[in-house]
């Protein structure tokens, strides 16, 4: 089977998320890294691209040059990953979708709900994939939680509790550090800081696992470091469209917490608990029975879990392998389209532009509610009401 061709915008040398994408896309041999515009400094991007093995004529200086260079090629890239800073996602994603490329965009997909709606409409009109990198939904045991909920192991879902709380912006002495400051500046970050950066991962995971979307929310947002305009901590109460209640905490001042993405799901027949820092164990307590530890890689888990487990039981699997599972879904989707067949349903789980749009609506709802002492507001994008 011929390899698919993959390109990347952003993710230059020293970037936070670039290496995880390259590891994830390269893992299965489905994608060949073929083109890139990796850095906001054209020369640095060209040079780094070639060091990573790109041909000189496909190590581009910026994304427009890459779009022009790739669109006319017979061997043009099959998928473009957008891993640049947030404010650039919309125009780059829009440009590549319009030119007929499949796109995997980093989160948050856009800066406004209107832009999100435009991307959803564009993906639908062009028939191109626009995936959004809620990469943590690629973990095998997250997929297994989803399968357990879908097959009814927990019965009706009563409550979901999601957290994404870290302590990396907790030092008030660091508040003026330029690498930190922009995140809390509305001119650069938009209407929300911590919720838009991390809270949307927790919300996406909650929705993904329980199969319900946020309908209403009420938010308490605070800037614990007083010089900040945008929130560094938020507690959000939610009501989902299938009847579940949601509690979501996100923070960047939680000293001692490292990454801090966790999910608990409580149904009428049992409860689940999973933490991203120990992703290879899932705690399952059926009502009236003993607590059980489900290990990733165990026999007889769901097909969704089996498909996404990569190394044998008892050996650690982590974040780049979760990203690899998103890329594996996308490789299957692109190949199925090329071959004119239906894709494997167990792979049809990658997050979509619709998810990116729902996140944007939630970001604006959190900001609105947070400014109005927690008034309940509609959490849905207008086009899904
Ligand atoms: P970063 O600041 O560490 O790196 C950004 C990279 O993009 C740099 O190499 C920079 O030179 C390059 N760049 C900037 N503007 C560019 C342009 N116009 N064209 C080409 N390259 C450009 O940022 P980081 O932390 O890697 O974040 C990038 C994106 O990934 C953000 O949207 C962030 O929210 C998202 N992210 C997602 C995560 C996830 O789990 N899904 C985790 C961390 C970040």
């Amino acid at each position: 089977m011929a390899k698919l061709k993959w390109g990347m915008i952003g993710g230059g040398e020293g970037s936070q998320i670039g290496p995880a994408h390259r590891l994830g896309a390269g893992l299965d041999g489905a994608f060949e890294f073929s083109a890139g515009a990796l850095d906001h400094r054209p020369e640095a991007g060209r040079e780094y691209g070639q060091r990573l093995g790109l041909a000189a004529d496909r190590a581009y200086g910026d994304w427009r040059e890459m779009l022009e260079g790739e669109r006319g090629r017979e061997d043009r890239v099959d998928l473009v990953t957008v891993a640049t800073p947030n404010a650039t996602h919309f125009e780059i994603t829009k440009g590549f979708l319009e030119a007929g490329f499949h796109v995997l965009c980093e989160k948050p997909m856009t800066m406004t709900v209107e832009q999100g709606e435009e991307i959803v409409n564009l993906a639908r009109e062009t028939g191109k994939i626009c995936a959004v990198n809620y990469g943590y939904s690629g973990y095998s045991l997250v997929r297994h939680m989803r399968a357990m909920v879908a097959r009814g192991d927990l019965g009706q879902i009563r409550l979901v509790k999601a957290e994404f709380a870290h302590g990396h912006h907790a030092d008030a002495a660091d508040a003026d550090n330029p690498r930190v400051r922009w995140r809390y500046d509305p001119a650069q970050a938009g209407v929300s800081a911590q919720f838009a950066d991390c809270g949307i991962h927790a919300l996406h995971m909650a929705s993904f696992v329980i199969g319900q979307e946020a309908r209403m929310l009420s938010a308490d947002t605070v800037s614990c470091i007083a010089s900040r305009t945008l929130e560094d901590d938020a507690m959000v109460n939610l009501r989902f469209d299938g009847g579940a209640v949601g509690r979501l905490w996100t923070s960047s001042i939680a000293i001692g917490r490292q990454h801090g993405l966790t999910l608990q799901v409580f149904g009428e027949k049992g409860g689940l608990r999973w933490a991203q820092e120990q992703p290879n164990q899932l705690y399952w307590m059926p009502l009236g029975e003993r607590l059980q530890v489900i290990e990733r890689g165990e026999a007889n888990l769901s097909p969704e879990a089996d498909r996404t487990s990569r190394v044998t039981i008892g050996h650690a699997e982590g974040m780049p392998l979760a990203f690899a599972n998103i890329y594996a879904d996308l490789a299957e989707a692109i190949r199925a389209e090329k071959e004119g067949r239906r894709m494997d349903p167990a792979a049809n789980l990658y997050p979509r532009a619709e998810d990116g749009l729902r996140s944007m609506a939630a970001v604006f709802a959190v900001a609105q509610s947070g400014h109005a002492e927690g008034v309940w507001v509609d959490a849905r994008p207008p086009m899904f009401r």
Side-chain angles (χ1 to χ4, degrees):
M1 218 177 325
K3 284 192 178 195
L4 298 169
K5 304 224 165 342
W6 174 62
M8 187 173 196
I9 321 283
E13 190 162 29
S15 67
Q16 186 186 178
I17 209 65
H21 278 283
R22 286 187 286 275
L23 286 168
L27 191 75
D28 294 319
F31 289 104
E32 179 181 347
F33 185 35
S34 306
L38 304 177
D39 203 290
H40 67 285
R41 299 159 303 166
E43 274 319 308
R46 285 196 189 98
E47 192 273 319
Y48 187 51
Q50 289 178 65
R51 240 192 300 141
L52 291 175
L54 293 179
D57 64 336
R58 297 180 91 177
Y60 298 96
D62 71 57
W63 69 268
R64 287 190 176 84
E65 193 183 305
M66 175 162 152
L67 184 58
E68 290 316 312
E70 290 297 309
R71 75 190 323 162
R73 295 183 71 106
E74 222 160 79
D75 62 346
R76 66 189 225 159
V77 284
D78 295 288
L79 175 71
V80 176
T81 293
V82 180
T84 50
N86 303 355
T88 62
H89 293 172
F90 172 66
E91 63 169 356
I92 301 176
T93 297
K94 183 168 181 264
F96 278 91
L97 283 175
E98 279 172 344
F101 291 90
H102 298 303
V103 176
L104 169 61
C105 181
E106 261 306 344
K107 46 55 64 177
M109 182 175 78
T110 58
M111 296 297 283
T112 68
V113 177
E114 292 72 22
Q115 289 173 345
E117 291 191 338
E118 206 176 321
I119 295 291
V120 166
N121 287 330
L122 196 53
R124 289 177 179 181
E125 284 159 20
T126 57
K128 293 294 148 193
I129 293 168
C130 180
V132 181
N133 191 33
Y134 292 109
Y136 307 112
S137 66
Y139 279 103
S140 177
L141 289 178
V142 172
R143 301 241 164 144
H144 187 61
M145 282 195 280
R146 187 179 192 278
M148 288 178 75
V149 171
R151 73 190 182 198
D153 292 9
L154 283 79
Q156 186 72 24
I157 302 304
R158 292 170 171 157
L159 190 87
V160 56
K161 177 156 183 290
E163 293 183 9
F164 196 157
H166 65 78
H168 302 302
H169 304 154
D171 187 351
D174 215 22
D176 280 333
N177 175 339
R179 291 199 67 147
V180 175
R181 194 181 51 218
W182 73 268
R183 296 169 176 278
Y184 300 92
D185 173 4
Q188 294 181 75
V191 297
S192 160
Q194 180 57 21
F195 185 80
D197 190 32
C198 294
I200 59 174
H201 274 299
L203 179 55
H204 175 267
M205 185 173 286
S207 292
F208 179 79
V209 166
I210 68 171
Q212 300 182 28
E213 301 298 342
R215 184 173 57 79
M216 302 284 292
L217 65 79
S218 156
D220 182 14
T221 55
V222 289
S223 306
C224 293
I225 294 188
S227 61
R228 290 176 176 162
T229 309
L230 297 175
E231 87 288 354
D232 51 24
D233 186 284
M235 182 65 89
V236 185
N237 281 308
L238 297 133
R239 296 289 183 274
F240 288 87
D241 58 7
V245 169
R247 316 272 186 220
L248 187 155
W249 175 47
T250 188
S251 188
S252 65
I253 55 86
I255 296 171
R257 298 276 298 236
Q258 297 306 326
H259 198 248
L261 176 61
T262 67
L263 192 77
Q264 289 172 269
V265 185
F266 304 103
E268 58 189 359
K269 295 198 288 187
L272 288 170
R273 176 161 55 90
W274 180 84
Q276 187 256 335
E277 290 178 31
Q278 288 86 38
N280 297 291
Q281 286 81 35
L282 171 62
Y283 294 86
W284 163 231
M285 173 97 180
L287 179 67
E289 293 183 35
R290 283 221 167 108
L291 182 65
Q292 300 172 15
V293 183
I294 296 172
E295 291 279 345
R296 182 203 47 75
E298 238 175 72
N300 302 319
L301 295 185
S302 54
E304 293 88 341
D306 289 345
R307 184 178 177 280
T308 47
S309 173
R310 305 309 196 98
V311 297
T312 194
I313 188 167
H315 295 72
E317 260 186 31
M319 183 257 228
L321 278 79
F323 278 27
N325 289 331
I326 305 288
Y327 279 98
D329 292 350
L330 293 171
E332 166 61 11
I334 295 168
R335 282 195 167 134
E337 187 209 38
K338 281 178 184 265
E339 293 161 14
R341 58 171 174 81
R342 281 195 52 196
M343 75 179 288
D344 174 358
N348 197 3
L349 291 175
Y350 61 87
R352 306 320 213 240
E354 284 80 354
D355 299 303
L357 168 60
R358 285 194 186 94
S359 299
M360 232 38 240
V363 164
F364 277 76
V366 163
Q368 185 191 349
S369 175
H371 287 124
E373 296 185 338
V375 64
W376 283 86
V377 296
D378 202 318
R380 298 166 300 179
M383 73 185 274
F384 296 156
R385 286 179 191 167

